[in-house]
Amino acid sequence: MPKDHLVTQSFNNLEANHCVDIIQQRDGQFRFQHWRREPEDLSGWILLLDSTPLTFATEQSAIDAAKQAVV
């Protein structure tokens, strides 16, 4: 079964405990997700913010919005 999205870029902070993914949806629109993980927690990444239902026409627009939304 094909995925309904593609991660086109992933940005990590220096500590590698926060990540922002830029995602292209099947309809060609883009969105972003902000993730966090704690090294001692083996459950993996935890979703903090998803821009959905807000989507963006271009990848750069999604990056710009993520820069505004994620500190």
Side-chain angles (χ1 to χ4, degrees):
M1 181 172 189
K3 284 184 156 184
D4 63 347
H5 67 277
L6 170 69
V7 176
T8 59
Q9 294 199 54
S10 189
F11 302 96
N12 291 286
N13 67 349
L14 293 176
E15 294 82 17
N17 62 356
H18 283 265
C19 172
V20 173
D21 289 338
I22 306 300
I23 300 163
Q24 184 175 20
Q25 304 179 147
R26 279 186 166 218
D27 64 3
Q29 294 287 307
F30 292 85
R31 61 186 170 96
F32 66 87
Q33 292 181 328
H34 177 202
W35 297 85
R36 174 184 65 84
R37 74 172 170 180
E38 297 298 330
E40 62 276 354
D41 183 356
L42 300 178
S43 64
W45 291 95
I46 299 166
L47 181 62
L48 298 177
L49 174 67
D50 188 332
S51 67
T52 304
L54 185 59
T55 59
F56 306 91
T58 67
E59 183 179 40
Q60 188 60 52
S61 296
I63 293 170
D64 293 343
K67 285 180 181 178
Q68 294 294 318
V70 178
V71 178

